[in-house]
Each structure stands twice: as structure tokens, then as C-alpha cells.
């Protein structure tokens, strides 16, 4: 499983290599990622501005506690809020960016598939139908991730564990959902939906986690999400082909 995990990491590196060899793809991939960055940058600015008020709101039960204990609880609450918001932001950033840049990332994914002979069984849906399906699948995925983020938020209140174990769990949870999102372009091209992605990736869970966790960690680097997003789509296409039993070696 360790070997499979690092195979997934290498798929992202291969995506980076495929991406940087095509200057045209670099420009196409950056445009939607920059637009999403501006949107989420604004939302996080608001979060940091109101984090004290939000921390007080979610720890209403500590209003009558001693000041030192109340401050400690609200400090942990603030850290947990930022951490869970970061997890949800990474997932929603990917979903929003894929929707904004669908034609751009479709071109990147198609270029990767063409390296291996293309997709003979490609399904060509009207753009409005494909957009509706993509939005619906993205919302379903985000809803599930939000449900998982709630217990992670609660775990953030636990001293030490909330600042060590929970972030690691968050990276693996976020990595799994990122993998599901980033193979979407290749699966949609074949007329396959979110349940098909889940079934296929479960058979290659370790490599999917390796790929997703690597992307998640890159997204935490300042401007990493913008720079790595197109390469992540290229790597996600390789992961999709591998999970479907298709060749990814020339």
C-alpha cells in the first residue's frame, strides 16, 4: 500500500511534467485558477476579520467561564474554524475552478488522453447538460465533505490531538475528495458520473490517496493552488485511466 501511495504521488509529478511541456496549456490552466483565487482570497479575508466573533459564537457555552479558560477554549475554536474552513476551501476551490474552467481543463485532459490514443468511446453531451451534471455532482461531493468536516471541527477542540492528528486526518480526507473531483473531467468524457468515480477509485484507494494528499499539500502553499491546478487535472486524467484499467505508459 505504501508503494501504491507513492505511485499516486508520482502521477501528480507526471501531470506537472506534461503540463510544463505545453506553454499553451499553462496559460489556459492559469486563467480559471486565478479567478477562483481572487474569490476565495476575499472569503478568507472576511473569515480572519471576523474569526474572534465566530469563535465566541460557537463557544457560547463558555460565556460564564473564567476568563483564562474561556480564552483558551476560544483560541482552540478559532484554530479549528480556520482549519476546517481551509479543508472545505480546498475542496470547493477545486470544484469552482473546474466549473469556471471546464473548457480549459477539458483541453488539458484531452491532450493527456491523446498521448495514449484518445478516447474511442467518448460521449459528447450538450454543454448545458454536461454543466448541469457537473454542478450536481460537485454539490453532492461538497455536501458529503461538509458532513465529514463537522466531526473534524469538533476534534479541533481537543488539546494537542486537535492540532496534530486532526490536520493529518484532514489532509487524507481532503486528499480523497480531491482525487474524486480531479478525475471528473476524464470520467465525464466517458459519460460516467460520481458513483462511477467512487467505485473505480476504491479499487485503487492507496494510489488515489497518494495523488490527492500530494495535491492537497501543494494547495496549502501560497499560490500553490493556482500553479498546480492544471497539472492536477493532467495527473487526475492519468489516475482516471489507471483506475479504469487503461494504459498510462507509451
Amino acid at each position: 500500500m505504501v508503494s501504491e501511495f507513492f505511485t499516486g504521488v508520482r502521477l501528480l509529478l507526471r501531470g506537472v511534467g506534461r503540463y510544463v511541456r505545453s506553454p499553451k496549456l499553462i496559460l489556459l490552466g492559469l486563467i480559471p485558477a486565478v479567478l477562483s483565487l481572487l474569490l476565495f482570497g476575499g472569503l478568507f479575508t472576511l473569515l480572519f476579520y471576523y474569526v474572534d466573533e465566530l469563535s465566541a459564537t460557537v463557544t457560547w457555552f463558555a460565556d460564564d467561564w473564567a476568563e483564562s479558560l474561556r480564552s483558551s477554549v476560544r483560541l482552540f475554536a478559532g484554530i479549528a474554524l480556520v482549519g476546517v474552513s481551509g479543508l472545505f476551501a480546498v475542496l470547493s476551490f477545486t470544484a469552482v475552478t473546474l466549473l469556471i474552467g471546464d473548457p480549459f481543463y477539458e483541453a488539458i485532459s484531452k491532450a493527456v488522453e491523446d498521448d495514449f490514443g484518445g478516447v474511442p468511446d467518448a460521449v459528447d453531451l450538450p454543454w448545458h447538460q454536461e454543466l448541469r451534471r457537473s454542478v450536481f455532482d460537485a454539490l453532492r461531493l461538497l455536501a458529503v465533505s461538509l458532513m465529514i468536516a463537522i466531526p473534524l471541527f469538533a476534534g479541533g477542540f481537543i488539546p494537542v490531538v486537535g492540532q496534530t492528528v486532526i490536520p493529518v486526518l484532514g489532509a487524507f480526507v481532503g486528499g480523497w475528495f480531491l482525487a474524486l473531483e480531479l478525475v471528473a473531467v476524464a470520467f465525464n468524457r466517458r459519460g460516467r458520473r460520481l458513483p462511477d468515480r467512487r467505485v473505480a477509485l476504491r479499487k485503487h484507494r492507496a494510489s488515489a490517496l497518494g495523488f490527492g494528499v500530494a495535491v492537497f499539500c501543494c494547495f496549502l502553499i501560497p499560490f500553490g493552488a493556482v500553479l498546480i491546478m492544471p497539472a492536477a487535472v493532467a495527473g487526475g486524467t492519468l489516475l482516471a485511466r489507471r483506475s479504469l484499467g487503461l494504459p498510462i505508459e507509451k
Side-chain angles (χ1 to χ4, degrees):
M1 289 194 61
V2 173
S3 175
E4 278 289 291
F5 183 89
F6 284 102
T7 295
V9 175
R10 286 193 292 272
L11 290 178
L12 175 60
L13 297 177
R14 287 183 59 183
V16 172
R18 179 63 181 85
Y19 171 58
V20 298
R21 291 199 303 271
S22 304
K24 181 181 177 182
L25 294 184
I26 293 176
L27 180 60
L28 287 176
L30 287 179
I31 294 172
V34 169
L35 293 176
S36 290
L37 178 66
L38 293 174
L39 171 63
F40 282 89
L43 292 175
F44 256 86
T45 299
L46 287 174
L47 172 64
F48 281 111
Y49 186 80
Y50 291 107
V51 69
D52 291 338
E53 290 85 343
L54 291 171
S55 298
T57 299
V58 299
T59 57
W60 78 95
F61 53 83
D63 288 346
D64 298 327
W65 292 8
E67 184 177 351
S68 58
L69 185 57
R70 182 173 64 246
S71 298
S72 297
V73 168
R74 288 180 175 168
L75 174 62
F76 287 129
I79 294 172
L81 274 171
V82 172
V84 171
S85 297
L87 169 62
F88 193 67
V90 167
L91 299 177
S92 51
F93 173 90
T94 304
V96 170
T97 305
L98 287 174
L99 290 174
I100 292 174
D102 182 68
F104 304 103
Y105 296 126
E106 173 65 31
I108 292 173
S109 180
K110 184 177 183 300
V112 174
E113 300 249 40
D114 287 345
D115 290 342
F116 305 100
V119 183
D121 56 343
V123 175
D124 188 16
L125 296 174
W127 70 269
H128 55 86
Q129 185 177 349
E130 187 170 340
L131 178 63
R132 184 175 67 251
R133 287 187 172 187
S134 298
V135 170
F136 182 70
D137 285 346
L139 289 176
R140 288 174 62 190
L141 204 55
L142 289 175
V144 174
S145 64
L146 181 59
M147 291 173 61
I148 294 176
I150 292 172
L152 290 177
F153 169 71
F157 284 91
I158 304 173
V160 182
V161 172
Q163 292 73 53
T164 54
V165 176
I166 296 300
V168 174
L169 286 176
F172 274 82
V173 170
W176 173 252
F177 283 109
L178 279 177
L180 282 172
E181 287 185 323
L182 289 166
V183 299
V185 179
F187 272 76
N188 290 344
R189 185 177 297 114
R190 294 166 171 82
R192 302 195 182 192
R193 304 289 301 280
L194 179 57
D196 301 306
R197 287 184 253 160
R198 287 196 180 107
V199 171
L201 291 192
R202 279 176 188 148
K203 296 176 182 177
H204 301 268
R205 190 183 297 274
S207 56
L209 280 173
F211 171 77
V213 170
V215 175
F216 186 91
C217 292
C218 290
F219 277 16
L220 296 179
I221 302 170
F223 300 104
V226 172
L227 297 175
I228 209 69
M229 183 68 190
V233 172
T237 302
L238 292 172
L239 176 62
R241 289 183 62 88
R242 188 172 187 269
S243 67
L244 292 170
L246 299 172
I248 57 171
E249 302 292 345
K250 294 182 181 180

